[in-house]
Amino acid sequence: MLEDVNESSPDWVRPVLVFDMGAQTAQLIARRVREAHIYSEIVSPKLSAEQILARKPLALIVSGGPHSVYEDGSPHIDPELLKSGIPILGICYGFQMLTQMLGGEVASAGRHEYGKAEATVATDCPLFADTPGEQVVWMSHNDEAKVLPSGAKVVASSPGAQIAAFEIEDHPIWGVQWHPEVRHSEYGSQLIKNFLFNAAGLEPNWDPQSIKEHEIRQIREKVGNARVICGLSGGVDSSVAAALVHRAVGDQLTCIFVDHGLLREGEREQVERDYAASSGVKIVTVDESERFLNALAGVKEPEQKRKIIGREFIRAFEDAQRALVKEAGEAGEEIKFLVQGTLYPDVVESGGGEGSANIKSHHNVGGLPEDLSFELIEPLRTLFKDEVRALGIELGLPENLVWRQPFPGPGLGVRILGELTKENLAILRAADRIVREELTAAGLDRQIWQCPVVLLADVRSVGVQGDARTYGHPIVIRPVVTEDAMTADWFRLPYEVLERISNRITGDVPEINRVVLDCTSKPPGTIEWE
Ligand code: GLN
């Protein structure tokens, strides 16, 4: 969690706090608020009014949740907050909780209302400004408000809920039974904006430039004159985190890039040349490809490959760290901090970031001397992925890096079914480059979430190339689309693009005589083949 905001802090650090009442959608609410350019964070309803007020929130939103407010032990926010004068919006469970806490009555509706509903709204209520009197909303409830709190009036109803929204006369408190944060609610984003700007009277002030300035100030304050290291993976998060830290403390930062020999074509150059040029960061590359290939020799089993790659990666990274620490020590300097590209969803999912700030970088390798201990700097830990991308652009990083598709840590190591040899890696690299080039040329990079290219090194089939019999390998292309990588669908690549990819690969990569398309969703297939 961020530190308390003091008087000298700029206004925009003051958050809109979203109470997570166990909803599927608390993160979505926070995102909608941020999309309206107001900073927002998710908090637990267990926090006391005092703890909440110390954050100087601009407004509060209470999310939906699976409980019924009349059940024993159902979550409630501290009642003191209702008298604080801070604007509050309750959504679904949050609406029902406010109804009950303000003296109304909530009970089972005896039926449920799931999905699309038509609501009639009072357009003179600030929540519904600039929206039509009849609108499609998305409902998901079994309980309903039977009796309004005193001083409240109904400002919306739906066929399944007589009281579908209320406002309180003398308090800046509103509630809606439906879910404005989901896209299916036609004017949902507008409702959230109306709450922030019309009802609560806030001003938008959260944008990439202010994020950048704030983070830079914080990093400078924390780091002082100490030295900092960062592991670069070539991915978006570590690249943006390092660029930000570099902007704050310049050459006090050194980045380590481990070349494990499982990189795609051009990847090392992209990091060493393009990224270094655009961000100015100092990069130490350690070429460890021999070490990885030796450790992986003869290994075909996917889990074993992943384990070996993970283990060697930690060792290689630690060796590089240790060398840098030693070098700095000889120059009379101390490396005190390690940068990590942790994002907000990771923080929320691991329980709100109550983790320890000090890690032993080698905690997962037994038997190593305990001589490396850093304090963490996680400049992205309050941001969502799209905000990280916007910040990357604001920092002047190239678009192709900022919009880079996710790539697994073990790299091409999990895209060869069979042994990871230099030869197999070279074949896969060549095919993968062609696929990437064609997808970029077709303008599909942002539509496709990721497109693994997989070499079936242990499979051979008969072909004919240049009038001669061949006995080559098939290559698989697996274009997918997904929101969160938990489930995915295969992307319908246009036939012309498939044709070009197939012709070029079989023409340019002699070991490959067949190109196949993976048209499996997830589940049942995972995105990667290993
Ligand atoms: N559990 C409550 C109900 O069924 C609230 C549901 C919700 O917040 N989605 O009405």
Side-chain angles (χ1 to χ4, degrees):
M1 210 177 278
L2 286 179
E3 78 288 358
D4 290 350
V5 176
N6 58 46
E7 290 312 321
S8 64
S9 301
D11 250 354
W12 66 267
V13 188
R14 293 181 58 187
V16 167
L17 296 177
V18 176
F19 286 102
D20 181 356
M21 312 307 275
Q24 308 285 320
T25 53
Q27 283 198 37
L28 213 46
I29 300 171
R31 291 183 75 130
R32 296 287 174 259
V33 174
R34 291 181 184 203
E35 281 162 15
H37 301 291
I38 303 269
Y39 182 58
S40 174
E41 272 188 48
I42 298 162
V43 290
S44 158
K46 292 193 189 115
L47 296 183
S48 67
E50 204 185 337
Q51 286 170 305
I52 293 295
L53 296 177
R55 306 291 314 280
K56 298 201 190 322
L58 294 166
L60 304 173
I61 300 181
V62 188
S63 82
H67 302 277
S68 287
V69 289
Y70 46 80
E71 270 165 25
D72 272 353
S74 58
H76 286 70
I77 65 171
D78 189 329
E80 285 302 311
L81 292 168
L82 304 187
K83 301 180 215 148
S84 66
I86 298 172
I88 306 179
L89 173 68
I91 292 175
C92 203
Y93 178 89
F95 155 90
Q96 297 164 0
M97 183 209 74
L98 290 174
T99 303
Q100 188 202 45
M101 289 175 82
L102 293 163
E105 209 182 297
V106 176
S108 167
R111 61 186 139 64
H112 52 73
E113 193 177 24
Y114 293 152
K116 208 168 134 168
E118 187 82 30
T120 306
V121 308
T123 48
D124 58 346
C125 166
L127 291 187
F128 304 117
D130 302 321
T131 70
E134 304 277 324
Q135 47 187 272
V136 172
V137 300
W138 198 83
M139 294 278 192
S140 176
H141 66 121
N142 307 305
D143 298 335
E144 67 180 359
K146 300 261 189 208
V147 179
L148 274 176
S150 59
K153 74 174 191 222
V154 180
V155 290
S157 30
S158 75
Q162 283 284 304
I163 306 174
F166 68 74
E167 75 181 345
I168 309 271
E169 235 104 80
D170 326 321
H171 290 287
I173 299 180
W174 292 264
V176 286
Q177 177 62 75
W178 66 87
H179 288 272
E181 71 276 21
V182 305
R183 292 279 181 224
H184 314 287
S185 289
E186 221 181 346
Y187 294 92
S189 298
Q190 183 66 34
L191 189 154
I192 289 175
K193 281 190 203 144
N194 282 342
F195 168 66
L196 299 169
F197 303 135
N198 284 351
L202 307 183
E203 296 280 341
N205 57 4
W206 166 258
D207 56 47
Q209 197 193 337
S210 48
I211 298 172
K212 184 184 77 181
E213 287 165 8
H214 172 72
E215 293 295 348
I216 289 176
R217 218 174 8 233
Q218 294 229 315
I219 295 166
R220 279 195 190 133
E221 238 164 68
K222 183 162 177 182
V223 169
N225 295 322
R227 284 190 54 185
V228 186
I229 50 172
C230 175
L232 277 184
S233 67
V236 184
D237 305 341
S238 64
S239 302
V240 173
L244 194 57
V245 173
H246 182 264
R247 199 60 79 80
V249 298
D251 279 346
Q252 284 165 249
L253 170 72
T254 309
C255 288
I256 301 171
F257 178 57
V258 177
D259 181 351
H260 49 27
L262 307 169
L263 299 168
R264 294 187 290 186
E265 192 169 302
E267 214 160 16
R268 177 164 166 177
E269 294 70 25
Q270 199 186 30
V271 171
E272 287 180 330
R273 209 182 43 218
D274 306 349
Y275 175 68
S278 58
S279 64
V281 305
K282 199 163 65 185
I283 301 171
V284 175
T285 305
V286 288
D287 188 339
E288 296 278 10
S289 40
E290 289 300 324
R291 167 189 197 141
F292 280 82
L293 284 183
N294 288 338
L296 288 161
V299 179
K300 293 189 171 187
E301 206 277 313
E303 275 312 294
Q304 219 188 333
K305 280 184 197 164
R306 279 189 183 262
K307 276 196 193 113
I308 293 172
I309 297 169
R311 181 192 73 207
E312 292 304 317
F313 192 84
I314 290 167
R315 289 191 180 159
F317 189 68
E318 285 180 350
D319 286 352
Q321 279 179 341
R322 204 170 277 114
L324 278 176
V325 167
K326 186 158 167 273
E327 206 183 287
E330 282 161 5
E333 290 170 347
E334 189 197 1
I335 300 186
K336 237 173 109 180
F337 299 96
L338 175 71
V339 182
Q340 289 204 326
T342 319
L343 303 192
Y344 194 48
D346 311 326
V347 174
V348 176
E349 268 145 39
S350 63
E354 248 91 286
S356 68
N358 203 317
I359 59 143
K360 295 268 191 297
S361 69
H362 51 265
H363 60 276
N364 29 13
V365 185
L368 285 171
E370 301 223 330
D371 60 351
L372 291 177
S373 142
F374 302 103
E375 253 180 79
L376 285 187
I377 299 188
E378 298 175 298
L380 312 179
R381 63 183 277 122
T382 59
L383 305 180
F384 290 108
K385 190 85 176 186
D386 47 339
E387 294 172 320
V388 171
R389 293 206 157 109
L391 182 58
I393 297 290
E394 173 71 26
L395 286 162
L397 297 180
E399 290 243 347
N400 62 358
L401 188 144
V402 166
W403 284 99
R404 210 184 99 124
Q405 292 174 352
F407 185 60
L412 299 181
V414 290
R415 292 183 179 176
I416 293 177
L417 273 67
E419 206 187 337
L420 296 170
T421 61
K422 272 202 177 109
E423 297 70 34
N424 284 340
L425 282 161
I427 300 171
L428 177 55
R429 244 178 227 124
D432 175 75
R433 172 177 50 80
I434 293 171
V435 174
R436 284 191 289 147
E437 281 173 4
E438 289 300 332
L439 296 182
T440 303
L444 293 170
D445 285 340
R446 289 199 197 174
Q447 286 179 52
I448 298 174
W449 192 76
Q450 196 181 17
C451 185
V453 177
V454 183
L455 174 67
L456 307 187
D458 279 353
V459 179
R460 281 177 184 274
S461 74
V462 176
V464 52
Q465 279 162 305
D467 263 353
R469 178 186 189 273
T470 58
Y471 195 45
H473 300 290
I475 199 120
V476 180
I477 41 187
R478 169 126 178 89
V480 292
V481 277
T482 172
E483 287 260 321
D484 54 10
M486 301 304 286
T487 60
D489 195 10
W490 60 284
F491 181 82
R492 274 53 169 179
L493 270 181
Y495 283 167
E496 316 78 69
V497 178
L498 283 170
E499 182 183 338
R500 270 197 302 278
I501 289 175
S502 171
N503 285 344
R504 280 190 64 195
I505 293 180
T506 50
D508 295 357
V509 190
E511 295 85 354
I512 295 177
N513 63 356
R514 226 170 261 279
V515 175
V516 303
L517 174 68
D518 182 349
C519 51
T520 320
S521 58
K522 172 184 179 176
T526 49
I527 294 175
E528 298 290 345
W529 272 45
E530 288 200 330

